Amino acid sequence: MKGVIFLEFLALVEDKFGLDVADDIIESSTLESNAAYTSVGTYPFSEMVSLVTSLSERSGVSIPDLLQVYGEHLLGRFVARYPVHFEGVDSTFELLEKLDNTIHVEVLKLYPEAELPRFNPNRVAPHVLEMNYRSDKPLTMLAYGLIAGCAGHFGENIDIEMDDRSDEAQTNVTFTLTKVAA
Ligand code: HEM
């Protein structure tokens, strides 16, 4: 997993829970990297699992809730770090429809070792977008948070439903997004 994802996670922890908690979760996690992350570096996904699990134990907030909050925050950080992907885009559906075939493609050019999920968007009606999310990582609620973050960014009211068909080997969730009149 790319260092940028770790750096933004630790920055959020510092901001919301304080430096002491950020230090504590680093201490109590098993980290080969010693948390010396750089944005372009690549680190084992197990380190993210370890950090999020420690934060959940320390804060009493569940892992899914932490991932969702982190996803919402991360979208805002992507806007700041990679503004080019948001230029000329006016809606959540437009952005999500570019995710697999443009945004994550560009991410892969920038970071060839990135391990990206697939979303497969399908506009089933003008105000309904279905996205089947597949990944080898259990990050459904991160995806949920990123989608909710998009809706927040564009000031849209979007209802998000999930049909979870995941098993041990693969995450497989269909998100049905319905744009609700403001
Ligand atoms: C400009 C916008 C975006 C950029 C630059 C971006 C970039 C990235 C990067 C760098 C990673 C880490 C890959 C790795 O560590 O190997 C990632 C992962 C991920 N991205 Fe995006 N992303 C963007 C938008 C989105 C949006 C809107 C979604 C919403 C569904 C999304 C869903 C995910 C998920 C769920 C992962 C975690 C990996 C997994 O599930 O297997 N991304 N993205």
Side-chain angles (χ1 to χ4, degrees):
M1 176 164 254
K2 297 309 297 177
V4 59
I5 307 294
F6 287 89
L7 289 173
E8 294 295 356
F9 175 73
L10 290 173
L12 177 68
V13 174
E14 254 183 68
D15 189 48
K16 295 266 185 235
F17 297 95
L19 194 55
D20 286 355
V21 173
D23 283 345
D24 278 5
I25 66 162
I26 289 170
E27 284 282 300
S28 54
S29 302
T30 322
L31 306 175
E32 227 175 273
S33 68
N34 289 319
Y37 301 113
T38 66
S39 64
V40 295
T42 304
Y43 307 91
F45 177 62
S46 58
E47 296 202 358
M48 181 54 74
V49 174
S50 194
L51 287 165
V52 175
T53 306
S54 299
L55 180 61
S56 173
E57 282 162 4
R58 176 79 210 267
S59 65
V61 182
S62 72
I63 290 176
D65 283 357
L66 288 173
L67 287 175
Q68 181 182 338
V69 170
Y70 177 46
E72 286 179 35
H73 167 80
L74 190 57
L75 197 277
R77 298 302 304 143
F78 283 160
V79 175
R81 280 182 180 264
Y82 314 95
V84 64
H85 294 303
F86 297 86
E87 278 160 20
V89 178
D90 299 320
S91 71
T92 304
F93 286 4
E94 229 186 284
L95 189 89
L96 294 175
E97 283 172 338
K98 290 196 351 172
L99 184 58
D100 266 19
N101 60 16
T102 310
I103 301 176
H104 277 168
V105 174
E106 292 299 320
V107 168
L108 209 53
K109 286 187 196 159
L110 202 61
Y111 308 125
E113 349 45 47
E115 292 171 7
L116 292 157
R118 275 150 300 130
F119 278 98
N120 203 14
N122 182 17
R123 186 85 74 112
V124 294
H127 62 291
V128 183
L129 181 70
E130 261 180 25
M131 292 179 81
N132 177 246
Y133 164 59
R134 285 183 196 236
S135 170
D136 57 356
K137 302 188 174 70
L139 292 175
T140 303
M141 292 312 291
L142 181 77
Y144 185 105
L146 281 159
I147 294 169
C150 283
H153 172 73
F154 293 106
E156 293 177 302
N157 193 357
I158 293 186
D159 177 69
I160 308 174
E161 307 243 323
M162 291 186 282
D163 179 16
D164 194 342
R165 310 263 166 115
S166 305
D167 58 30
E168 304 272 285
Q170 212 197 26
T171 302
N172 174 1
V173 178
T174 300
F175 290 96
T176 302
L177 314 181
T178 306
K179 190 165 163 29
V180 184

